[in-house]
Amino acid sequence: IGRQEMRFPKVAGAYDHDKLLLEVKKIKELYPEKNDAIVTVMDELPYETLIGGIDALLSAGFPEISVATGGAQ
């Protein structure tokens, strides 16, 4: 929300998709009118991982998703 940043480090070599989904659902509950999200990624993030994150946002009710590369500023 605003410039709030959420980080999801790998656990046992993989990203925790379930935790991501849980966290974005919590945000949607707090801000039900919010429809947009920006995913900020580093260039070396695998495409499949990016799509998994976008899927989590869509599932939580964020239909307006932007992707920014180069990492968080």
Side-chain angles (χ1 to χ4, degrees):
I1 308 307
R3 290 194 55 97
Q4 180 178 345
E5 184 177 312
M6 298 174 67
R7 293 181 181 256
F8 291 91
K10 288 183 178 180
V11 176
Y15 291 102
D16 188 344
H17 185 267
D18 293 335
K19 181 178 179 183
L20 172 62
L21 183 57
L22 179 66
E23 293 299 320
V24 294
K25 282 184 175 182
K26 286 181 189 177
I27 292 170
K28 187 62 175 180
E29 288 176 11
L30 291 171
Y31 303 95
E33 73 287 349
K34 187 96 171 124
N35 290 319
D36 64 311
I38 300 172
V39 178
T40 306
V41 300
M42 297 299 291
D43 291 337
E44 55 274 348
L45 184 75
Y47 177 76
E48 295 79 14
T49 303
L50 172 62
I51 297 303
I54 291 171
D55 284 345
L57 287 165
L58 289 169
S59 294
F62 293 93
E64 301 169 17
I65 303 168
S66 300
V67 177
T69 59
Q73 300 295 327

